[in-house]
Each structure stands twice: as structure tokens, then as C-alpha cells.
Amino acid sequence: MIKNLLRGAVTLSLALSSLALPAAATAAPAAPAAAEVLNLADAVEQIPLADESRTGYERTKFKHWNTGLDAADGCNTRSEVLLAEATEAPTIAAGCKLSGGEWLSYYDGLEVNDPAKLDIDHMVPLAEAWDSGASAWTAARREAYANDQDAAASLVAVTARTNRSKADQDPAQWMPPLPDAHCRYVGEWTATKLRWGLAADQAEADALTVYAETCETTVVHYTPAP
């Protein structure tokens, strides 16, 4: 009888204690990652060094273009990037068909007034991302990468000619044809690698280091991807 009374008292005490726990004891949602700002040379040093491997790569493993930031606007990621980067807004017809408008392709400095003549370039190409760490990601994370509009550097509207010339090459192999674009390009490449935790091989790292010495005033802004 006494044992039962004691057991009941302990149980009641524990129940009352749990009710008295402050609200702060419950798990809080994770805070968003803080933005990072580094000069280019320091940013390049933050990129992990690793050998690259193309084993198993297929472009279809990066689902794009999806419904974009606003699933209700009828525009996919490609169209949303075109709308965001237009220097003169295009006309939008049914089905988010774009016509007219104007864009500046910073890779070659050309003004373009036909959206069909533009490609949306993945700053770090999908194959390069795969080689540099994305092969270990989930399909959902690869889709998020391929449609990343939360960082201005990740996707860029440029002439189809320059995008296709670049293909899947890194800065050791290809740079924009406009020399004035080089510092911006290397800064945005570095920001994308850091945002997504991607590595660089030795040749790429060496090239980025050389450009960082030339682009002394270039600042890299990035926020780690969720």
C-alpha cells in the first residue's frame, strides 16, 4: 500500500514538472545561415581541394527547369530568371511565353532583345557540380541546385553562343570572352562553389588563385545553401 502511494506521488511529481517546463525548452526552428563576405583571395582558399570524378553523371539527375519560385505564376525557372534579369521587361503571353524585352549578356557584353537567343547558364555547370561533390547528394538537393534562384550568382542569362562555348568547363579551361567580365565571373564561380560546399581540383584551384591575384578588389558574397 505504502509503495503504491509513493509510486503515485512520484508519477504526479514528474507530470507537474513537465507541465512547468518553460516554453523555451521546446526545440526552436533552425536559424537561417548567415551571409558570408570575403575578398576573393580568401574565398578561393575556403574551397576544399579534391580530385574530380565524372563517374555516373547524367544530366537528367539534375531536374530542371521546375516551377520556379512561384508555382502559381505559370513560369518555370528559366522564364523567372529571364524576367528577373531583363533590363527592359518582356511581354508575357499565356503559358508564360515571353517576347520582346532586353537583356545584357555580361559574358560577352552583348545586348539581346530576343529571349530565344539566351540560355540560362548554371554558373557552376551541372557536370562540374557532379564532379565536385553533387554525386553524393539526394535527387531533391540536385533539383534545388539546378533551379537555385535564391542566390543571384547561381543562374545567369547569357547569349546561347557563350553558354555553349563554356559547356561544362571550369575557369582553368574557359573564361568569358569579354576580359572585363573575368573578375565578376571568378567571384560568382567561387561564391557558387562555397554556397553549395563544392570542391575544386588542383588545376581549377590554381587558376582561381591566379585570377584572385589580379582581381584584388573583387568581393565574394554567399549564403550557404539550406
Side-chain angles (χ1 to χ4, degrees), residues 149-164:
Q149 293 187 69
D150 290 325
S154 295
L155 300 171
V156 56
V158 294
T159 55
R161 178 179 61 83
T162 54
N163 182 48
R164 293 165 198 184

Side-chain angles (χ1 to χ4, degrees), residues 179-199:
D180 287 348
H182 288 183
C183 290
R184 174 181 171 182
Y185 183 79
V186 172
E188 294 187 348
W189 178 281
T190 300
T192 304
K193 285 251 167 164
L194 291 174
R195 171 169 168 76
W196 289 93
L198 296 171

Side-chain angles (χ1 to χ4, degrees), residues 133-160:
S135 60
W137 295 351
T138 63
R141 188 164 181 80
R142 286 196 289 269
E143 180 178 355
Y145 176 85
N147 296 275
D148 183 17
Q149 293 187 69
D150 290 325
S154 295
L155 300 171
V156 56
V158 294
T159 55

Side-chain angles (χ1 to χ4, degrees), residues 78 82 103 105 112 114-120 157-160 164:
R78 170 187 160 80
L82 288 171
W103 292 262
S105 168
V112 180
D114 179 357
K117 294 182 179 178
L118 293 164
D119 280 354
I120 304 304
V158 294
T159 55
R164 293 165 198 184

Side-chain angles (χ1 to χ4, degrees), residues 9-121:
V10 171
T11 302
L12 178 60
S13 175
L14 290 172
L16 290 173
S17 296
S18 65
L19 290 173
L21 286 173
T26 60
E36 299 284 348
V37 182
L38 300 167
N39 66 54
L40 180 57
D42 289 342
V44 167
E45 289 183 357
Q46 297 297 316
I47 300 176
L49 192 65
D51 292 334
E52 296 183 356
S53 173
R54 189 66 53 92
T55 303
Y57 171 71
E58 294 176 10
R59 189 172 175 82
T60 54
K61 291 183 177 179
F62 292 81
K63 182 181 177 182
H64 67 290
W65 306 110
N66 64 18
T67 55
L69 292 177
D70 183 358
D73 67 2
C75 298
N76 63 14
T77 300
R78 170 187 160 80
S79 295
E80 287 184 356
V81 173
L82 288 171
L83 289 168
E85 296 196 2
T87 55
E88 182 179 316
T91 300
I92 308 173
C96 200
K97 181 175 176 59
L98 307 182
S99 60
E102 192 167 286
W103 292 262
L104 177 64
S105 168
Y106 93 80
Y107 287 3
D108 49 11
L110 295 181
E111 291 184 347
V112 180
N113 54 22
D114 179 357
K117 294 182 179 178
L118 293 164
D119 280 354
I120 304 304
D121 182 35

